[in-house]
Amino acid sequence: MTTDTAGPVRAAGPPGSGDGQEAAEILAAARTYVDPELRGAVDSLPRSLRRVARYHFGWEHADGTPAEGNAGKAIRPALVLAAVRALGGDPAGAVRAAAAVELTHNFTLLHDDVMDRDTTRRHRPTAWTVFGDADAILVGDALQALAQRLLAEDPHPGAPAAAARLARCVVELCAGQHADCAMERRGPDEVTLAECLATAEAKTGALLGCACALGALYAGAGPEVVDALDGFGREAGLAFQLIDDVIGIWGDPGHTGKPAGADLVARKKSLPVVAALASGTPAAVELAGLYSGPLGESGDELERAARAVERAGGRDWATVHAADRMSRAIGQLARAVPDPEAAGGLLALAEFVTRRTQ
């Protein structure tokens, strides 16, 4: 773990001042600081589990040879470190907490890929398709245990509260995934927008909020500030999910690493889809009919479904609602960090994840 007191996240400029470059620099710095801790934790696993984990993170090919893969953007660990910095703490002391959040995130990815039967992630086959369901599930379990171990062994005074908060977050994540799976078994007209938003908060917003809250705990902040930063992350997470759902239908496979319209093929009740189904328009009726049967990965039905979502207003609703959630996030951030200069790094990260177009 680094002892560089300059910290892995530099102070940011005024909110909204960057074009994504500032966030990219923050993310790259977070990855640089957190990766050694992350690799050390993964390398402590038994060999059979370590091989699968290293493949999942993009550090090895399936045959065990080294790879220069994509381990993800490190958004969640960057939020931990940026929150510490925003509150005047030393991010170098929170690297274990940042790594714990990233391990938790990857535990959810491994399990979600199995449950959703997703075959690609980060432009390569998912772990379960290479090693089997059991190995992917067990490695996900091991990553969650590693996350808790990192916090349990961390002498930082904020670690015990952070461990408890992260554990509560994992329960919320599991409940959100359970609700999501249950919704997929229900008919297109049996799922409400309120349910989808609650599920999105649990599945996506909870961990982003927890990441910010852990940073506040490691900065020694009081309960009100911790909760406000949690709220900031949750609202930004909902905005992120809304945009991600739009990308899941209309995103470029060359950027997403997933087939075009993958969410439609799986008949996912994503937020744009449910908003479209609830619109009461002729396009909603058409979409409900298409969702009542299988949609192929190519051909007219997939294109018709995407057009129906758009004509029913699902795409516009998701875009507008994402902007509203981002506005709420900024309000929560102002409560926790009134100084715009200090809050700039956190805002740059939130803007980065909610301004994606691919």
Side-chain angles (χ1 to χ4, degrees):
M1 183 169 62
T2 180
T3 57
D4 182 0
T5 55
V9 181
R10 294 193 301 278
S17 62
D19 58 0
Q21 182 61 34
E22 179 185 16
E25 291 175 358
I26 292 171
L27 291 167
R31 177 62 71 197
T32 298
Y33 277 79
V34 172
D35 264 4
E37 192 74 45
L38 201 60
R39 285 176 179 264
V42 168
D43 286 347
S44 73
L45 292 172
R47 186 169 180 270
S48 59
L49 300 178
R50 182 170 66 242
R51 178 186 174 194
V52 181
R54 290 182 64 83
Y55 171 84
H56 168 74
F57 279 106
W59 303 332
E60 288 184 359
H61 296 294
D63 62 3
T65 56
E68 295 294 332
N70 175 14
K73 295 182 178 67
I75 292 166
R76 290 153 191 83
L79 285 170
V80 175
L81 302 176
V84 176
R85 166 69 70 184
L87 295 171
D90 178 11
V95 171
R96 283 189 182 179
V101 169
E102 185 72 342
L103 287 166
T104 301
H105 174 54
N106 281 275
F107 135 69
T108 69
L109 296 183
L110 282 160
H111 283 199
D112 285 0
D113 285 345
V114 173
M115 287 182 274
D116 296 342
R117 310 316 284 171
D118 285 336
T119 57
T120 58
R121 180 173 293 281
R122 299 166 182 161
H123 305 280
R124 68 197 316 226
T126 46
W128 74 267
T129 66
V130 176
F131 300 98
D133 291 3
D135 282 4
I137 292 169
L138 289 168
V139 169
D141 293 341
L143 294 187
Q144 184 196 351
L146 285 179
Q148 286 295 325
R149 194 189 76 190
L150 283 181
L151 294 176
E153 294 176 350
D154 192 349
H156 193 284
R165 197 168 193 111
L166 185 59
R168 290 194 299 271
C169 179
V170 169
V171 174
E172 187 175 355
L173 290 169
C174 292
Q177 179 66 8
H178 183 270
D180 190 41
C181 291
M183 284 193 299
E184 294 306 316
R185 296 191 293 268
R186 290 155 60 186
D189 59 344
E190 298 174 342
V191 176
T192 68
L193 206 45
E195 286 180 290
C196 285
L197 285 168
T199 299
E201 179 176 351
K203 285 190 61 177
T204 304
L207 189 54
L208 290 173
C210 184
C212 297
L214 261 58
L217 289 169
Y218 269 67
E224 289 187 5
V225 171
V226 173
D227 288 344
L229 277 183
D230 186 283
F232 160 73
R234 284 175 180 269
E235 296 291 356
L238 273 172
F240 172 92
Q241 188 60 58
L242 284 154
I243 298 301
D244 198 60
D245 283 355
V246 169
I247 292 170
I249 299 174
W250 295 282
D252 180 352
H255 291 277
T256 65
K258 294 185 177 184
D263 285 0
L264 294 177
V265 173
R267 290 185 294 170
K268 284 185 177 294
K269 297 176 182 69
S270 63
L271 287 160
V273 167
V274 174
L277 289 169
S279 68
T281 62
V285 176
E286 179 186 0
L287 180 62
L290 290 167
Y291 253 52
S292 65
L295 291 168
E297 292 187 11
S298 61
D300 292 341
E301 284 190 342
L302 187 57
E303 293 180 11
R304 282 178 59 203
R307 288 197 301 268
V309 175
E310 192 154 13
R311 292 201 318 275
R315 187 174 188 171
D316 287 344
W317 177 88
T319 303
V320 170
H321 204 69
D324 176 63
R325 290 293 178 167
M326 186 60 183
S327 178
R328 297 186 197 188
I330 292 170
Q332 293 279 16
L333 180 58
R335 283 180 53 214
V337 190
D339 179 6
E341 184 79 15
L346 284 167
L347 184 58
L349 289 171
E351 289 180 339
F352 173 81
V353 299
T354 56
R355 286 183 176 178
R356 298 174 304 152
T357 58
Q358 302 292 343

